[in-house]
Amino acid sequence: MPSVSAPVDPASRAVALLRDLGAGDLPHPGGTLLAHLERVRALLAAWGARPALELAGLCHAFYGTDGFAGALLPYGRRGELAELIGAEAEGIVYFYAACDRAASYPVLADAGAAFRDRFTGRLHTPSPELRRDFAELTAANELDVVRVDPAFREKWGPSLLSLFARIRPLLSEPAWRDCRSALTAPRPDGGDG
């Protein structure tokens, strides 16, 4: 019988670990957490994201987030995830998970503004690229939920559109188009509002 080898590409290894940690069984709008993570990765890929950002989209809930309390892996085990998906992708995952949204969303587009790490309480000023990655991942994450949960869209759509309009300079053109399309109420004549 041939031996079964472990998946070799980082995305397959990440999906295998997500399954092992129960993400395929955790309820999430639109099905399971794993299904959500895979849709976020696919959306980032559709927007032309580089591989590290796509992997971060797939793995963005490993340490929990400010909006999703459950952690699949304690952030103290960052080295394990970095070994699996690469240091760049893991850095994006950590930054996304550690973001104190209430403190950071209002200043995300301000190049010199500090972010508060909700795990450590430390303030730091992220690079412009990390801010763009965070904005893009945030848009992909929220748009996925908006598309699968009409009640979420109804409740949070206007404030999300306001957030994404405010951070527009950080978003790619495809991401911004999707934000407008998904969050702008259709006009009575059938056009976009």
Side-chain angles (χ1 to χ4, degrees):
M1 174 187 272
S3 65
V4 178
S5 60
V8 292
D9 72 284
S12 296
R13 290 192 311 257
V15 168
L17 180 57
L18 285 162
R19 286 186 202 289
D20 288 348
L21 295 173
D25 300 319
L26 288 173
H28 195 279
T32 66
L33 177 59
L34 180 57
H36 164 70
L37 297 171
E38 290 176 320
R39 289 190 308 263
V40 169
R41 177 180 181 228
L43 185 53
L44 288 164
W47 293 345
R50 68 189 188 288
L53 183 52
E54 285 183 38
L55 282 169
L58 178 64
C59 298
H60 75 268
F62 261 100
Y63 310 134
T65 70
D66 201 2
F68 183 76
L72 299 171
L73 194 67
Y75 73 87
R77 293 172 56 189
R78 291 182 64 189
E80 293 173 42
L81 187 58
E83 187 175 314
L84 192 71
I85 65 172
E88 181 184 10
E90 189 283 331
I92 299 166
V93 170
Y94 179 83
F95 183 73
Y96 187 82
C99 177
D100 176 333
R101 292 178 181 185
S104 301
Y105 278 7
V107 297
L108 180 59
D110 303 339
F115 270 47
R116 183 181 170 278
D117 183 314
R118 71 184 183 95
F119 297 134
T120 67
R122 184 176 76 87
L123 292 175
H124 60 100
T125 303
S127 69
E129 181 177 51
L130 193 51
R131 284 176 189 273
R132 285 190 300 273
D133 289 343
F134 179 82
E136 202 87 349
L137 179 50
T138 297
N141 178 63
E142 300 297 349
L143 289 186
D144 176 66
V145 179
V146 161
R147 288 181 170 139
V148 299
D149 186 345
F152 180 88
R153 183 188 189 276
E154 182 68 27
K155 181 176 182 178
W156 297 106
S159 61
L160 287 171
L161 183 58
S162 176
L163 168 67
F164 297 138
R166 196 169 59 252
I167 65 171
R168 165 65 188 103
L170 299 173
L171 295 171
S172 66
E173 191 55 40
W176 173 239
R177 272 195 311 270
D178 262 5
C179 288
R180 285 183 37 89
S181 173
L183 297 168
T184 303
R187 293 190 314 232
D189 64 2
D192 288 335

